[in-house]
Amino acid sequence: MVILIIFSDSRILKFSNSLKKSIFDSQIKRMLKILTIIGARPQIIKAAALSRAIRTDYADQIQEIILHTGQHYDENMSQVFFDEMGIPEADYNLSVGSDTHARQTAAMLEGIEVAIAREKPDWLVLYGDTNSTLAGAIAAVKLGVPVAHIEAGLRSFNKTMPEEINRITCDHCSTLLFSPSSTGIENLSKEGFLINATAPYSINQPGVFHCGDVMYDNAQYFSDIAEERSDIIERLDLEDGQFILATIHRDNNTDIPDRLQSIFSAIIKIGKAETVVLPLHPRTLKMLERHSDKALLDEIRSSDYIRLIPPVSFLEMIMLEKHASLIMTDSGGVQKESYFYHKPCIILRPETEWVEIVENGSAVIADADEKKILSAYDHFKNKPPASFPPLYGDGRAAWFICDMLLSSTSSV
Ligand code: UD1
Ligand code: UDP
């Protein structure tokens, strides 16, 4: 810099420019640039773990650019997590909003392509299995930008789920695959991924790693913070261990009236014995109002023991999870959090990607079957699960991922 100020004639300036370029190049080499794509609630939450690791320990090595597709946009489905979890404001917001799968994904694809072309990132970082994940994977792979997929390898083996198609596509577009569970590694191996591939990694020779779950990083980090900052238990007048927490949002539960009806019939019966708190995803509320028979809706609304509330913040959710006696859910994230906080879980789906928790006996698959839900409830009331061995890492998955992004970059 000093040299640039002192010399001003054209000959020296030429020399100075090349010097400036070499200083600039060496800075770029030291600073890895990642473009993180988020869009839906669980991705914003997962991204908080990596952003926190970067801020804490890699601020001089990794530059993170955040692109929010706008798939989720209500304050309580998006902004609340940025504010509460200290996620930097998004550099891009595509504001795609809700639409059909094709239109929503197409709008994301276009916007992500522009951002990639402008930012020229070393890595595109993707989370989970939503349409935002799918759009990111396809945009990046066509531009030759390597993809790092966090939450790789999960499978429901049910290709009627939009998420199953999204996650398979994303895994097969990835250069680095970070699996939260050993099951994920086994699934990838069965699909032909070489588990012991060595660097240099590429899309044709991807690196596959069992690194633990960034959601466990978050669960550990925010557990005490939630106790300090959230008063939701008092506000809702709940008692520790005296209520059930339930979430429902999967399209095959919300959009199939018989299934939604069956789940709510079970909740009404359980609600006669124990309070059920239901932070409702906007999709579920919409469908409940549209499809449920009026008598059922009236019964839910008039019940003193069923508490329909809007989606809650992450800290509030942690408090509800930690203080519930049992959790009923079709959410992937909430299933795991029930395990992190040692709660029995009734899975309102025909299958799960998190098979370990079922094998452990702390979760039961009940689908949308009223009888199975009630019998799982009785089972756990009589015999609560006793042990929750660690399955999802040591709370440092995000640090492992940062190290791998850095060490794999020269080889890309
Ligand atoms: C999406 C993901 C799903 C994930 C879930 C997490 C896909 C295909 N699905 O499902 O894998 O588990 O997010 O929550 O990507 N809505 C609002 N406000 C919002 C967002 C959505 O009112 O901020 C309503 C709209 O009516 C919308 C509906 O919810 O049509 C569904 O939203 P969408 O993002 O398409 O799917 P999710 O069911 O949220
Ligand atoms: N969550 C939240 N508030 C809510 C419901 C869920 O903060 O009202 C959190 C939950 O703790 C978990 C994540 O959202 O971390 C799970 O997201 P979601 O259930 O929407 O999607 P999935 O995990 O099924 O993809």
Side-chain angles (χ1 to χ4, degrees), residues 40 70 112 157 208 363:
I112 295 171
F157 302 100
V208 177

Side-chain angles (χ1 to χ4, degrees), residues 395-412:
R396 302 277 298 176
W399 276 259
F400 179 93
I401 292 167
C402 287
D403 286 339
M404 284 316 302
L405 288 169
L406 283 165
S407 65
S408 306
T409 300
S410 56
S411 61
V412 172

Side-chain angles (χ1 to χ4, degrees), residues 41-42 45-46 72 76-77 81 129-130 215 247 249-250 279-281 310-315 317-318 321 329-334 337:
R41 169 169 67 189
I45 292 170
K46 287 166 201 168
H72 286 175
N76 59 15
M77 294 293 285
F81 304 107
D129 52 23
T130 71
M215 291 198 66
T247 78
H249 76 270
R250 291 280 158 200
L280 267 203
H281 189 292
V312 295
S313 77
F314 188 60
L315 296 185
M317 191 64 181
I318 289 179
E321 289 168 342
T329 189
D330 59 8
S331 155
V334 178
E337 285 162 357

